[in-house]
Amino acid sequence: MKLRSASALLLLAGSGAASAQAVDPARDHASILAMQGQYTVDFAFDETVLLQPGYERAAAMRSGGNEVVIVVEDSPHRIVLQHLLVDGKSGHVTKHWRQDWIYEAAHRFEFSAEQTWAVRPVPAAVSKGAWTQCVYEVSDAPRYCGTGTWSYTNNVPTWTSDLGWRPLPRREYTRRSDYNALAVVNRHTLTPNGWTHEQFNTKVQRNADGSQLEIAREFGFNDYLKTTEVDFTPALDYWKGTAPFWAQVRQRWDTFLGRAPGVHLKTRLDGMAMIIPLFEQAEAVKGGAALDEAKIDTVFARFVEPAAIR
């Protein structure tokens, strides 16, 4: 079952790319780079508007962690930021999500169907002066993209996306079966103490006949606060030891996500069939083993294929 493209939904939501202020890519670039650093993070998700008879509001979700954001690529029109979690007591490191920023992107991937992401053009009117942010799973598998401009009204740097689709987040798909997609607007704001990520989510059930049932709305708030109280050395060491491996993984994803039609994953929703072998290979490389590209290719050959988009 395919979703309407996010570019079509843009007409319903209003464009995040429209702005009366002068476009300043260099200033935007500096704002994106300002998200790098070491943080304590609070994650909060609350269902707000309930849209179906008899639906009961889900319990609020709260979590947190220590997260370092590392610059992986930096050029005037492209920035790649990698997030790594570290346990303050044990020093255990988890490779977390990744965000890529591209100025005036010609195309982006969009969550289209179960485990399928279609690569579609970004209309010129939407991409002009705008940055497309694409977010990736811990295995660097795709999650979602959004396009919008940075605003500096009252000297507050804020980027707001257009409306796009994304699959269920990890906090939901292990315990929910009453919806199967999120329609999302994302907003990032730089603050004196770090930055924030707001999510305006609508939980949607896609049906085989093409209809869509909105279940509830949700507000997500991720608060990144700068810290000097956490030792992020284990995370920095992990990235130093595994960066060449993950560069090869990103390169393989790019062969599917850099052009139409896109990608389909032959895994369950949790993606663990890919995550486990890739993480094991990364650990081996960190421990001194040679980077074996053939092993990476074996994982991709088994679980990744071009999307079948009509």
Side-chain angles (χ1 to χ4, degrees):
M1 170 59 209
K2 293 192 293 183
L3 294 167
R4 286 170 289 180
S5 71
S7 55
L9 285 168
L10 182 62
L11 299 175
L12 303 176
S15 173
S19 176
Q21 66 187 11
V23 175
D24 188 347
R27 188 180 187 185
D28 299 344
H29 180 273
S31 296
I32 296 166
L33 284 182
M35 287 188 281
Q36 70 179 303
Q38 300 176 357
Y39 303 94
T40 57
V41 192
D42 291 322
F43 304 103
F45 294 90
D46 295 87
E47 288 192 347
T48 54
V49 183
L50 310 184
L51 299 172
Q52 293 302 317
Y55 181 85
E56 295 184 5
R57 181 175 284 109
M61 301 187 70
R62 299 289 185 269
S63 61
N66 307 309
E67 193 152 326
V68 60
V69 183
I70 297 172
V71 178
V72 176
E73 296 182 34
D74 179 15
S75 64
H77 290 170
R78 177 180 170 85
I79 301 170
V80 176
L81 301 176
Q82 178 64 57
H83 293 235
L84 300 166
L85 290 168
V86 62
D87 184 275
K89 294 182 179 179
S90 69
H92 178 74
V93 176
T94 302
K95 179 177 176 291
H96 207 202
W97 63 293
R98 180 182 120 228
Q99 49 175 324
D100 292 7
W101 294 81
I102 303 170
Y103 182 65
E104 294 188 338
H107 60 265
R108 69 185 189 187
F109 60 79
E110 299 178 354
F111 179 56
S112 174
E114 219 60 67
Q115 294 293 79
T116 303
W117 288 260
V119 173
R120 295 191 172 107
V122 180
V126 175
S127 66
K128 183 176 177 57
W131 289 81
T132 292
Q133 181 211 45
C134 290
V135 169
Y136 301 81
E137 172 70 271
V138 298
S139 63
D140 290 317
R143 296 297 289 173
Y144 63 87
C145 293
T147 302
T149 55
W150 282 85
S151 166
Y152 300 93
T153 303
N154 296 322
N155 227 14
V156 178
T158 300
W159 174 87
T160 305
S161 76
D162 57 0
L163 182 65
W165 291 105
R166 62 174 287 184
L168 272 63
R170 286 192 172 273
R171 59 188 164 80
E172 289 278 76
Y173 63 60
T174 57
R175 64 187 191 90
R176 296 288 294 265
S177 59
D178 56 340
Y179 78 101
N180 53 18
L182 285 172
V184 180
V185 172
N186 290 283
R187 183 164 64 197
H188 291 248
T189 301
L190 302 185
T191 69
N193 297 315
W195 57 281
T196 62
H197 176 195
E198 297 167 90
Q199 301 177 39
F200 304 90
N201 302 332
T202 300
K203 298 180 178 182
V204 180
Q205 174 63 38
R206 308 173 305 173
N207 298 314
D209 62 2
S211 64
Q212 295 175 170
L213 184 68
E214 295 187 357
I215 304 296
R217 293 176 189 161
E218 174 188 72
F219 177 65
F221 183 66
N222 302 337
D223 195 10
Y224 288 76
L225 299 174
K226 295 176 184 176
T227 183
T228 58
E229 302 300 316
V230 179
D231 182 8
F232 284 95
T233 302
L236 299 176
D237 288 346
Y238 173 87
W239 191 249
K240 182 179 180 181
T242 64
F245 171 83
W246 290 112
Q248 291 295 324
V249 172
R250 293 195 305 276
Q251 186 180 94
R252 281 151 179 80
W253 283 117
D254 287 346
T255 64
F256 293 95
L257 298 173
R259 62 180 184 273
V263 68
H264 174 255
L265 304 186
K266 298 181 285 184
T267 69
R268 299 176 63 176
L269 290 179
D270 62 10
M272 295 305 291
M274 282 197 73
I275 291 170
I276 291 174
L278 290 177
F279 272 50
E280 289 176 344
Q281 290 179 39
E283 283 294 334
V285 170
K286 180 177 179 293
L291 199 166
D292 189 339
E293 294 188 34
K295 287 186 177 180
I296 301 174
D297 290 334
T298 296
V299 175
F300 273 78
R302 182 176 180 185
F303 297 113
V304 184
E305 65 183 1
I309 303 295
R310 297 174 194 157

